């Protein structure tokens, strides 16, 4: 919505209009608002408007002025449909009305129309035979958003992030209500606030009685983000003797082997890595736990992305019901399975290509482990356009992930999702233009952006060979320095989120394989506010 705009009437006089409304699928509505209703004195011919002029003539002049202005910016792009209406928030017209003082009903939005605006919008666009094209929205933005100041947009974006954080922190009341419990098993879909809840749980336990808390993650890049988050939290709160240790599973395994005097040796062939991580390494660690060679050094355990921590090994188990990797974690706790334990997970986010299994039943069968079970229903992470885009990715491959997206509260508004399909040779130039636009308009800073690729490494991506993008350095990694844009693989971005994400190296949605569809969804769901999809045919 653009509130307040200038237009030129038929005498080339500059005038002021009320509202311009841009539709989600294209289309523009010129809305001139009249307070006190709209009526005509049949004896004097005077209208109830402030100047007594005919509101139809005023609206027609605005409509023509807007059409001419948009035409000047159209170029070779599709034209944007422009409709017009008088807004009358104090007027209620009877359902059977076809005209009001000679004005056709379709050109009036009364109080009920304004209350049900999306329905009123759709009905009029259909009646007017509007041909809507989402690509035509760019013409409107170029014409009527070009004079927005970066500082005001920056403030707007910060406010959105603060609103998202406030919504997330509101869920902390749940921990207050369940404070008498010492064990939690929490499920929730993408963007439901599991990570913030995990950090808050670890913070509370560390602050209580100076506990040493192990905050365990699976993904290395996500672990770095968690560690940074905890360090900032710690610097602000200084909770005394308590301590939170943030560790990735692989780093924990290396540390435990080193302390037990066992060498950490990767197989010579890369094709043997999967079996090493999913079978061999867990079996070694479980044997060390049975032999008492893993010492209990933590008072509490919080596991985020719990679905990636196997409860059943991929290969043959060496004795009975294994419990997967979890006996190793229990061995690290001073009170074993009776210690404070929080496990946060989303079964739908476990990769299909992984061996082994994550099963909450196996966890609940563990002697001494009796958690309160919580399901986080509301999606909190996203602005409205990003949420709607993700919700629209409806294929069987991502059905479970999509089902976890639930809008239980009003999501903050934000910039539109950018979707382009272009030849591969034009991808870098297109990404460069998108980022320059975001930076110039103040939507984000370079370090708040990550480019996510379907490819496993930078050298295999369409971005290979480029050390600069959007006028700033391009950094191969998720932790770019200030003033640089980060780059990484979608598969390595699990658990991460960023203010702004650009997806590259994908075919247009929906991709041909289920695996690529899931990867695409994961990548797009990393964006909180700004998302651009630059697909190549």
């Amino acid at each position: 919505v653009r509130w307040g705009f200038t237009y030129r009437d038929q005498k080339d006089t500059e005038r002021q209009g009320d509202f311009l409304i841009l539709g989600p699928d294209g289309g523009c509505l010129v809305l001139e608002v009249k307070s006190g209703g709209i009526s005509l004195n049949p004896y004097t011919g005077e209208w109830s408007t402030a100047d007594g002029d005919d509101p139809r003539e005023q609206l027609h002049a605005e409509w023509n002025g807007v059409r001419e202005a948009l035409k000047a910016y159209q170029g070779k792009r599709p034209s944007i449909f422009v409709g017009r209406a008088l807004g009358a928030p104090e007027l209620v017209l009877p359902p059977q009305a076809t005209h009001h003082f000679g004005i056709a009903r379709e050109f009036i939005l009364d109080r009920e129309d304004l209350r049900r605006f999306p329905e009123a919008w759709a009905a009029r666009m259909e009646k007017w035979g509007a041909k809507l094209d989402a690509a035509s929205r760019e013409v409107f933005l170029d014409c009527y958003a070009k004079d927005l100041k970066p500082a005001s947009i920056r403030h707007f974006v910060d406010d959105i992030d603060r609103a998202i954080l406030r919504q997330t922190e509101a869920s902390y009341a749940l921990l207050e209500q369940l404070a008498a419990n010492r064990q939690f098993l929490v499920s929730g879909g993408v963007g439901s606030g599991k990570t913030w809840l995990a950090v808050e749980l670890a913070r509370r336990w560390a602050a209580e009685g100076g506990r040493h808390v192990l905050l365990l993650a699976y993904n290395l890049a996500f672990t770095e983000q968690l560690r940074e988050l905890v360090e900032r939290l710690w610097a602000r709160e200084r909770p005394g003797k308590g301590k939170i240790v943030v560790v990735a599973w692989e780093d924990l395994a290396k540390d435990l082997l080193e302390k037990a005097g066992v060498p950490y040796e990767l197989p010579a062939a890369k094709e043997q890595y999967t079996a090493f991580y999913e079978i061999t390494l867990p079996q070694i660690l479980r044997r060390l736990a049975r032999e008492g060679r893993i010492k209990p050094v933590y008072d509490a355990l919080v596991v985020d992305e719990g679905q990636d921590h196997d409860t059943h090994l991929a290969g043959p188990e060496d004795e009975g019901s294994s419990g997967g990797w979890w006996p190793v974690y229990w061995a690290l706790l001073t009170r074993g399975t009776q210690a404070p334990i929080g496990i946060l997970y989303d079964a739908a986010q476990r990769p299909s290509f992984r061996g082994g299994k994550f099963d909450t039943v196996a966890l609940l069968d563990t002697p001494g482990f009796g958690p309160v079970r919580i399901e986080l229903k509301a999606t909190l992470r996203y602005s409205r356009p990003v949420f709607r885009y993700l919700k629209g990715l409806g294929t069987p491959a991502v059905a479970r992930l999509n089902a976890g997206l639930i809008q239980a509260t009003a999501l903050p508004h934000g910039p539109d999702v950018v979707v382009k399909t272009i030849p591969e040779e034009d991808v870098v130039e297109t990404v460069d233009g998108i980022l320059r636009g975001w930076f110039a308009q103040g939507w984000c800073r370079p370090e708040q952006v990550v480019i996510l690729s379907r490819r496993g490494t930078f050298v295999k991506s369409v971005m290979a060979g480029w050390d600069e993008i959007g006028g700033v350095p391009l950094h191969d990694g998720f932790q770019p320095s200030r003033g640089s844009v980060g780059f990484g693989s979608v598969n390595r971005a699990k658990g991460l989120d960023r203010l702004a994400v650009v997806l590259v190296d994908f075919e247009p949605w929906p991709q041909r394989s289920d695996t690529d569809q899931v990867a695409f969804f994961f990548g797009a769901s990393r964006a909180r506010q700004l998302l651009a999809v630059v697909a190549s045919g």
Side-chain angles (χ1 to χ4, degrees), residues 341-360:
I341 297 169
I343 302 171
L344 299 96
Y345 72 98
D346 178 10
Q349 291 192 55
R350 183 179 170 91
S352 58
F353 58 81
R354 285 274 306 278
K357 188 168 69 169
F358 174 79
D359 183 6
T360 55

Side-chain angles (χ1 to χ4, degrees), residues 188-192 194 346-350 375-380 382 385-408 411 509-510 517-522 524-526:
V190 290
S192 60
K194 295 188 300 296
D346 178 10
Q349 291 192 55
R350 183 179 170 91
E375 186 176 2
L376 303 176
K377 287 286 191 181
T379 301
L380 304 172
Y382 308 113
V386 173
F387 177 87
R388 287 176 175 171
Y389 178 78
L390 293 173
K391 201 64 181 167
L393 301 177
T395 62
V398 300
R400 291 178 67 204
L401 290 164
N402 209 304
L405 292 168
I406 300 172
Q407 185 176 345
L411 297 173
W509 178 267
Q517 288 180 21
V518 171
F520 183 96
F521 188 98
F522 271 135
S525 65
R526 300 307 93 195

Side-chain angles (χ1 to χ4, degrees), residues 211-228:
R211 287 192 180 105
H212 281 211
V213 181
L214 172 62
L215 179 49
L216 188 60
Y218 181 75
N219 180 289
L220 291 171
F222 176 51
T223 303
E224 283 301 313
Q225 180 174 293
L226 267 182
R227 189 174 289 127
E228 182 182 341

